[in-house]
Amino acid sequence: MVSFSRIALFAAALTGAVALPTNATDEGFSILARGGTPSSTGVSNGYYYSWWTDGAAQATYTNGGGGQYSLNWSGNNGNLVGGKGWNPGSNGRTINYSGTYQPNGNSYLSVYGWTLNPLIEYYIVESYGSYNPSSAAQRKGSVNCDGANYDILTTTRYNAPSINGTQTFQQFWSVRNPKKNPGGSISGSVNTGCHFNAWRNLGMNLGSNWNYQIVATEGYQSSGSATINVS
């Protein structure tokens, strides 16, 4: 599929490419501006965070204590994505998440990241709103990780924004099937190594250099809320 947040994710991935608000510090932030909280990346309470919005929706992103973040968006318009995790990512980290996820419309909750050499954008999708990202991608196989089944898929982005400028690159996907039900409390554990090994066995090789790796909430022309704690 053509993921709805390519431009958003490109902007969020460029660490230092956007100016941080003056209080985007280790204490976190929550600033209301035109369209909501301004885009930024950085470190909050020991965790890397990435937040971007195109300003078309009213969207407020807040860094909480530790690995917690919250996101509220409304207006059924625009692109946005935010979350917390690590930079750089790693090949075998087990990522835990818990909280609430209440999308109304098109949205994902996923482990999300990038690698370089080669340039790869990847998703491990735990839950989603009205749009199933498997519906427009090439299915390569399946894997059982942490007691759940995931469809493995690929897509190719042509001349698209990335963390390394405008490039043609592949997207790798594991999409939980069935998804975790959105609409309230949600939690889980993602053994990234299980997915990455399954991808490798199917000839889907991530890059040798790791960029960021976060638990991300995305929205596209939708509304919703999420409060997620990452560890």
Side-chain angles (χ1 to χ4, degrees), residues 26-160:
D26 210 46
E27 300 302 318
F29 67 91
S30 180
I31 308 170
L32 287 179
R34 186 176 66 183
T37 311
S39 304
S40 66
T41 60
V43 176
S44 170
N45 294 296
Y47 285 82
Y48 176 81
Y49 75 89
S50 178
W51 162 244
W52 188 91
T53 174
D54 64 5
Q58 178 64 41
T60 302
Y61 175 91
T62 303
N63 281 322
Q68 187 185 75
Y69 71 89
S70 62
L71 174 57
N72 291 274
W73 73 102
S74 60
N76 296 323
N77 199 5
N79 295 348
L80 53 92
V81 56
K84 269 186 172 181
W86 301 266
N87 192 0
S90 73
N91 187 47
R93 177 179 283 119
T94 295
I95 299 174
N96 302 300
Y97 66 91
S98 61
T100 59
Y101 173 57
Q102 298 178 294
N104 296 302
N106 203 339
S107 174
Y108 300 159
L109 179 69
S110 62
V111 172
Y112 170 77
W114 290 83
T115 66
L116 294 165
N117 298 320
L119 179 66
I120 302 290
E121 181 182 36
Y122 64 87
Y123 284 89
I124 302 171
V125 180
E126 292 289 281
S127 187
Y128 52 86
S130 60
Y131 180 79
N132 183 345
S134 300
S135 61
Q138 180 183 4
R139 191 177 188 276
K140 305 292 285 187
S142 63
V143 65
N144 187 287
C145 293
D146 301 303
N149 291 317
Y150 292 79
D151 295 321
I152 298 175
L153 311 110
T154 62
T155 48
T156 301
R157 296 282 290 148
Y158 297 96
N159 298 319

